[in-house]
Structure formats: C-alpha cells, structure tokens
Amino acid sequence: MSSSESRGVGHDAYGRPLTPYVVPAGTAAGQSTGLARPVLGPAANPEPVWYPVQPVFVQPAPRRRVASAVALAVGFTVIGTFAVAVGLYFLIFVQPAVLLAGSLLAFVPLAIVLVGIWLVDRWEPEPRVALLFAFLWGAAVAVGTALIVDVALTTARAALGVRSSGLEDVLGAVVQAPLVEEGAKGFGVLLVLWIFRRHFDGPVDGIVYAATVAAGFAFVENIQYFALQVGEDLATGSQGLAYVFFVRALMSPFAHVMYTACTGFALGLAARRTGPYGAIGWFFVGLVPAAGLHALWNGALFVVGDGFFAYYLLVQVPIFVAMVLLVVFLRRNERRVTHDRLAEYAAVGWFSADEVGMLSSSAGRRRARSWAASRGIRPAMTVFISNATRLAFTRQRLVKGRRALDAAVQRDEAELLDALSASRLALQAPPAAFVGYPQHPGWLPQVPPHPGSPQSGPGW
C-alpha cells in the first residue's frame, strides 16, 4: 500500500470482521467514500475515551416475549379487579357528590407530581404502558391492599373484643401503614422490573417508576382525605378542608414519592447488578428506608403537635432537598454514561463525534429536534434519539452487569443497532442538523449495513 493510502478494518453490528477497505489520501475523517459501512478513524470524541471497544459477538436470536405479555395481562387483570373493589368501597362509604369534589381537589397535587416525574424522565423516557401499569398499580392494588389489611385488623380486634386505644392508633400510623403501603407500592416497582426488564436500566428508571406508583397511590388517598373532610365540613360547618388541602396538596405532594423512591433506587441498582431473583433482596433493602421515612412523617404528627411547621422546615424540607440533589446527580451521570458509551460505538463508526456530542447534551438534542421539526420529521428524530439513548444504557448494563445477563443484553444491543439504522434512514438528514458542533469538510455519517442486506448509500 502506498504512502498516499491508509487501510482500515472494522466489525459489523454482530462482531464479524468487515472486509478491509482503502481510504484514499486526503479524505477527511468520516467523509463519504461510497462505502456503506462504518468508517474507521472518526473525528476525535468531545472527551477522550480510555477503554477498549468490545463489539457484540453473538448473532441475535428471536426473543420470546410471550412470558412478558402474559405477565402484563395478568397484572392488568389484577389491577382491574382491585380498581373495581376500591371504587365500590368508596361509593358505599362516601356520597358521590362529595367523592367528585375530593377527586377534583386531588388532581392538584397529582399534576404537581406528574410534572416532576416528567422532568426527571425526559432524558430516557420510559414506555407509556410501563408508566400506566405503575400508576394503576399504585392507585388500585396498593390502595386496595392497605384497605384490606386495615379492615382485616379492625375486624380481628372487634372479634377479640379489643377496644381501640391511642397506642393502637400510633402503631397503625407508625408501623402498619408504612410497612403495608410501602410494601405494596414497592412490589409494584419490582413487578415493573420483572415485566419491563429491557426498559429498567438503572437508579433513575427505578425512581421514575417508583414515583409513578406513588403518584397513583397518593392520588386515590388524597381523594379519600379530601372527600371525608368535605363531608365533615358540610355536616358540622367546620372549615378544615383548607388546612388539609394545604398540608397534603401543597406542602407534601411528593411525600409518597420520596418514600417509594428509596425502593425504586435500590431496584435500579439491582437492574445493573443482578438478575430477577436477586432483585428481591434489593427490594427489601430499599423497603427499609422507604418505611422509615414514611414512619418518620406519620410519627411526627403525634409528637410535634403545635410545632409541626417548625418540624417540617427543619426535617422534611432538608430530606426533600437531599432527594432533589440525588436526582440531579443521577441525571448528570446519565448524560455522562450516554456520552461514554456512544463514544465506544463512534470508535467503530456507528456514530460520528458530532453525533455523540449532540446526543449527550440537552442543548444538542433541542437543536436536533428543532431542525427536524422545521423539515416535518421531528418524530423520526425523536425515535433516533430514543434508540441511541437506550443503546447507551443497554451498553452500560452489558459492561457493568453480571456475565449471566450478557446474552440477553447482547440481544437487546443488536436489536437496538438494527433499529438505529432504520431510524437513520428515516431521517435522511444533512450535517446541518448538528449546527453548533464542529463539522468536518465533506462529512456525512455512514449507515452501517444490516448483515446480509444490500449496501446502502450514506445516510442523512
């Protein structure tokens, strides 16, 4: 080979060597050469990457999704059964008009919480069906479980002739409610991990699913509290609704979210470190701080008395701020992981350095979506960003996870690489999509071919 030419060898999506090809001298890194395969020697990454690339070496096998589909169907059936039971319970003990008033008031804290969940979930949005499952589990099954346990214990005490006392009220609020409610909510997050394993990538996902379960639970619980207070105010002429609404809707809309987020965080760690059965142990680890924070809030109501607002400012507000800071740290870590993992793919030609920079920053993503919207292809850009982000976190599971999980994660990776190629072709975007990042003369990102498929021209 003459000194005016350089030779490169790479691998395709499945780890098989690509035929050596020649890059003529003077061709810029990443410039189209008429070859529809990853070009080696892409532009330098925004930040250096010091670990070797480990391409996928397994041919993806057809995935069996029957078990997940059956589990999801059974889960929604259980949710429906509990929803009917909870609805009948409310209609029996609460007048419909009062129940409607309580429901309208409960939408206020629900909206606040849902906005918070959306802000946390923007980087790698979770599937809507998974979020719906989580919300309905909290609203129906977790609430129904708490009601069943409460009714069962009340019936047992009545049958035994045990009179209600102040101590029992304290134990019910500080022990029974935290353990039962957090156990039921946390088990819903564990089910999400089992059913939607491919979309449960780490602590942020765990917090998002846990917050969604908690949002459903708190929504129904607030309906009960507000409706009962409305009925009491109408019957006695009191004005307690304003105080109850202020405390539950404005002061502590994220209370249940904070509790269950502890379980979600633990299960997020489990998603990266262990399998479905090992996650059970992490579930109980997360349940301890979840029930503890819940008990701290409920128990304070019996202890602080008139000093409740001082307790709230000195204890609950710092806990909430610490939770927010934890989420901010985890979100920044997500961006770093996205950059580092996509840079590995860039090293073998799946992305350019400009694309890695765009995909690992919020500003770059906004510019790309804006560019796509101006050309009527914003949905395609959204799919491309989503596939790339999921690919990065799937890669993270492959690199950091246990070897026993490698085969499944490798199949996920190969499927996402195929989806990424398809979303690239749908975009057909020129480099102008990445205004604001360094461009290289003649640069056009290449579309890696599917194994066995005809070569296609350069994408975008």
Side-chain angles (χ1 to χ4, degrees), residues 62-437:
R63 179 184 297 276
R64 294 185 177 181
R65 308 187 188 277
V66 176
S68 294
V70 171
L72 187 61
V74 172
F76 274 116
T77 301
V78 172
I79 288 173
T81 303
F82 272 84
V84 171
V86 171
L88 291 176
Y89 175 86
F90 280 169
L91 289 175
I92 290 173
F93 293 99
V94 183
Q95 297 178 0
V98 174
L99 189 63
L100 177 60
S103 300
L104 294 176
L105 292 172
F107 273 107
V108 175
L110 176 64
I112 296 173
V113 171
L114 291 181
V115 169
I117 294 173
W118 173 76
L119 290 174
V120 175
D121 194 37
R122 283 185 303 168
W123 189 256
E124 187 204 9
E126 306 307 319
R128 293 181 180 178
V129 65
L131 294 175
L132 178 64
F133 180 91
F135 181 85
L136 294 179
W137 182 274
V141 180
V143 171
T145 301
L147 289 174
I148 289 173
V149 172
D150 188 60
V151 170
L153 291 177
T154 301
T155 303
R157 285 197 297 266
L160 295 174
V162 178
R163 295 182 179 180
S164 179
S165 65
L167 179 60
E168 290 182 1
D169 293 339
V170 173
L171 291 177
V174 178
V175 179
Q176 175 190 324
L179 290 178
V180 174
E181 294 176 8
E182 296 310 318
K185 289 185 292 179
F187 186 70
V189 184
L190 181 61
L191 286 180
V192 173
L193 172 61
W194 286 343
I195 299 174
F196 301 95
R197 183 65 182 84
R198 300 179 67 202
H199 301 279
F200 206 121
D201 297 316
V204 173
D205 289 355
I207 291 174
V208 167
Y209 287 125
T212 306
V213 172
F217 182 92
F219 175 63
V220 177
E221 187 182 58
N222 282 333
I223 291 176
Q224 180 184 20
Y225 273 92
F226 295 154
L228 292 176
Q229 191 60 50
V230 168
E232 181 179 338
D233 287 357
L234 291 175
T236 64
S238 60
Q239 297 180 348
L241 179 61
Y243 176 81
V244 173
F245 180 83
F246 178 73
V247 171
R248 295 192 64 86
L250 302 180
M251 289 183 62
S252 58
F254 291 97
H256 279 285
V257 171
M258 289 194 301
Y259 312 150
T260 315
C262 298
T263 307
F265 177 81
L267 290 175
L269 295 177
R272 291 181 176 176
R273 302 186 181 190
T274 185
Y277 299 110
I280 298 175
W282 286 90
F283 161 74
F284 286 105
V285 170
L287 186 60
V288 173
L293 288 177
H294 198 154
L296 178 65
W297 172 265
N298 287 0
L301 301 178
F302 293 94
V303 176
V304 297
D306 294 337
F308 170 76
F309 288 101
Y311 158 80
Y312 174 82
L313 292 174
L314 294 176
V315 178
Q316 292 298 324
V317 170
I319 292 175
F320 176 74
V321 171
M323 289 285 188
V324 171
L325 293 177
L326 174 63
V327 171
V328 170
F329 169 79
L330 293 173
R331 279 290 308 274
R332 290 184 176 180
N333 185 66
E334 280 194 327
R335 286 193 282 270
R336 181 188 61 79
V337 168
T338 301
H339 171 270
D340 291 351
R341 295 308 170 212
L342 293 185
E344 292 183 350
Y345 293 103
V348 292
W350 282 95
F351 297 94
S352 72
D354 303 320
E355 289 176 307
V356 173
M358 179 273 287
L359 291 165
S360 57
S361 73
S362 298
R365 292 183 174 198
R366 284 195 298 269
R367 282 192 290 267
R369 290 193 183 101
S370 177
W371 172 89
S374 68
R375 288 158 175 78
I377 54 174
R378 182 184 176 94
M381 178 62 76
T382 300
V383 171
F384 174 73
I385 293 174
S386 175
N387 287 336
T389 308
R390 285 186 56 201
L391 179 65
F393 286 101
T394 300
R395 180 70 182 173
Q396 180 75 357
R397 285 164 49 200
L398 181 62
V399 173
K400 299 297 184 181
R402 298 192 323 169
R403 295 186 61 86
L405 305 176
D406 286 357
V409 181
Q410 286 173 342
R411 285 194 296 268
D412 291 344
E413 183 187 40
E415 291 176 6
L416 284 170
L417 287 171
D418 286 340
L420 188 71
S421 295
S423 59
R424 273 182 179 279
L425 292 173
L427 278 171
Q428 296 294 321
F434 308 114
V435 173
Y437 291 96

Side-chain angles (χ1 to χ4, degrees), residues 35-57:
L35 298 170
R37 54 168 61 99
V39 178
L40 291 187
N45 294 306
E47 297 179 11
V49 181
W50 302 109
Y51 34 75
V53 176
Q54 302 172 353
V56 178
F57 288 99

